[in-house]
Amino acid sequence: TFVVMFVVSFLTSSLAAKLKSLAKHSAQMAWRTKILLETSQDLQKAGSQTEILSIIADQLLKILQRDIVVYCVKDEKLQEPEILLAEESDLKAQYTTDQEKQVAQWVLTNNKRAGAGTETFSDARCTYLSVRAGEHIYGVVGVAAAGKGLETSENSILLSVLEECALAMENQRHLEEKEAAAVLAKNEQLRANLLRSISHDLRTPLTSISGNASNLLSNGDMFDAKTRQQMYTDIYDDSIWLINLVENLLSVTRIEDGTMKLQLNAELLEEIVQEAVHHVEKRCKKHKLRVQLSENLILVKADARLIVQVLVNLVDNAIKYGGTHP
């Protein structure tokens, strides 16, 4: 009876211990699965590669309960590391020594694991792994393992998280490349539109100049002094207009470079408007241009040359796209 009771007790205690261990393992796996799901959801919301690495560092800290070191890679160079400590302490400096950075650099160069628990730089405080997709490395992650190596389950979960991170980084890179290509295509379209607009703006005064000059050369003696004077004036005005147009184009480049300097002076609004009207009257043969100004003299502080160009552009657009009705 004693022997039977002893065997039954032994078997019962062994089964209870195994059940308790399995329950603990199942609870741990469920918790880690939950963390991985949260990681995947957080990665979908990330807007940059730096943000992705920060999310991964936070999640690894929750899962492994170990100090985490994360290096972002830009232009194939390690950036300053982000360090997360499992416990409050002032031990961050031990993870930023030249020796630790040398290990991280070796991982970046060779695309292999190194540091504590490996045959390469085994005296390092962390085990360093690369975050990579194919041969492209996006970052280097270090997990504190000095004196306590990574268990099989920890290593498995670490690789899963890093694989998820690499996939998110790859998707983010493709998205950035797509956005850059879209911006480039838009810039090319804007450049083409600008060239067409410039060609139109240049054609009108050049046609006027060449026409008046041709008439003066071939039939100058047939015109009276007043007509010739008017043609000379038109040529001069159109040439000044071309000079101002070229100057405005240069102003656009100065605005983009941040070197634009406005010449602000007190100007009469009526004079600015009349100057703009003078330049567009020749192009309004099919339209009736009406100007309505206040009876009072209005002074404005502005760069008259640029404001005239703005008004001319607005009227030109109205002429081109407003139909032919008076």
Side-chain angles (χ1 to χ4, degrees):
T1 301
F2 175 78
V3 171
V4 171
M5 293 294 292
F6 177 80
V7 171
V8 170
S9 299
F10 178 78
L11 291 175
T12 302
S13 61
S14 297
L15 289 174
K18 288 183 178 180
L19 287 174
K20 185 177 180 180
S21 176
L22 287 174
K24 182 179 179 180
H25 181 71
S26 298
Q28 190 177 31
M29 290 302 297
W31 179 76
R32 289 183 175 179
T33 302
K34 180 182 177 182
I35 293 295
L36 286 175
L37 179 60
E38 291 179 357
T39 302
S40 179
Q41 293 173 344
D42 291 340
L43 289 176
Q44 292 177 6
K45 302 175 184 178
S48 66
Q49 295 187 357
T50 302
E51 189 175 349
I52 290 173
L53 286 175
S54 295
I55 291 173
I56 290 302
D58 290 334
Q59 297 302 89
L60 287 177
L61 182 63
K62 291 180 184 179
I63 297 172
L64 302 177
Q65 294 297 308
R66 295 170 181 259
D67 298 341
I68 304 297
V69 182
V70 176
Y71 290 88
C72 183
V73 176
K74 291 184 178 180
D75 300 327
E76 299 183 356
K77 294 182 180 179
L78 293 176
Q79 306 300 304
E80 287 300 314
E82 179 182 356
I83 303 173
L84 283 75
L85 301 178
E87 298 178 358
E88 291 293 334
S89 65
D90 55 352
L91 300 179
K92 284 188 176 182
Q94 68 183 356
Y95 297 115
T96 58
T97 62
D98 292 339
Q99 180 182 4
E100 295 295 317
K101 290 182 177 180
Q102 182 181 2
V103 181
Q105 182 61 48
W106 188 91
V107 172
L108 173 63
T109 303
N110 296 274
N111 198 7
K112 294 180 180 179
R113 178 189 299 221
T118 69
E119 296 180 356
T120 308
F121 299 103
S122 58
D123 56 343
R125 301 195 63 85
C126 296
T127 301
Y128 291 92
L129 302 92
S130 61
V131 180
R132 66 178 186 267
E135 295 299 320
H136 195 97
I137 300 179
Y138 296 99
V140 175
V141 174
V143 180
K148 183 183 177 183
L150 294 173
E151 298 178 0
T152 303
S153 59
E154 290 178 325
N155 186 67
S156 177
I157 199 73
L158 174 60
L159 294 177
S160 298
V161 171
L162 294 184
E163 183 178 353
E164 191 79 16
C165 177
L167 180 61
M169 299 280 274
E170 185 80 356
N171 292 336
Q172 181 65 28
R173 182 170 70 89
H174 290 161
L175 178 61
E176 291 175 355
E177 290 177 351
K178 183 178 179 180
E179 290 176 350
V183 170
L184 181 60
K186 184 176 180 180
N187 289 338
E188 289 296 329
Q189 183 63 39
L190 289 175
R191 186 177 291 108
N193 293 339
L194 178 60
L195 289 175
R196 283 195 294 268
S197 177
I198 292 173
S199 299
H200 176 271
D201 291 340
L202 291 175
R203 187 181 298 114
T204 301
L206 285 174
T207 300
S208 177
I209 290 174
S210 61
N212 286 329
S214 177
N215 286 333
L216 288 172
L217 287 172
S218 59
N219 304 309
D221 296 338
M222 299 175 59
F223 299 118
D224 55 34
K226 184 178 180 180
T227 302
R228 286 198 301 270
Q229 184 63 33
Q230 183 60 48
M231 296 175 72
Y232 293 143
T233 302
D234 290 343
I235 291 175
Y236 175 78
D237 289 343
D238 287 330
S239 64
I240 293 298
W241 173 250
L242 282 175
I243 292 173
N244 290 334
L245 180 59
V246 173
E247 184 63 29
N248 288 336
L249 294 176
L250 294 176
S251 297
V252 172
T253 61
R254 295 191 190 102
I255 291 175
E256 293 178 349
D257 296 339
T259 59
M260 179 67 178
K261 293 182 180 180
L262 298 177
Q263 298 178 1
L264 300 178
N265 297 302
E267 304 284 351
L268 278 173
L269 181 59
E270 182 178 357
E271 292 182 355
I272 294 176
V273 174
Q274 292 298 338
E275 179 69 16
V277 170
H278 173 72
H279 287 293
V280 297
E281 278 181 332
K282 300 176 183 178
R283 286 169 262 179
C284 293
K285 296 179 181 180
K286 297 181 180 180
H287 297 76
K288 182 179 180 181
L289 185 60
R290 184 176 64 181
V291 179
Q292 184 176 351
L293 295 170
S294 173
E295 295 180 357
N296 300 323
L297 294 178
I298 301 177
L299 284 175
V300 294
K301 188 175 184 181
D303 189 322
R305 176 175 52 84
L306 296 179
I307 297 298
V308 168
Q309 181 63 43
V310 170
L311 293 176
V312 169
N313 290 341
L314 290 174
V315 176
D316 277 343
N317 288 335
I319 293 172
K320 287 188 287 185
Y321 307 113
T324 57
H325 298 289

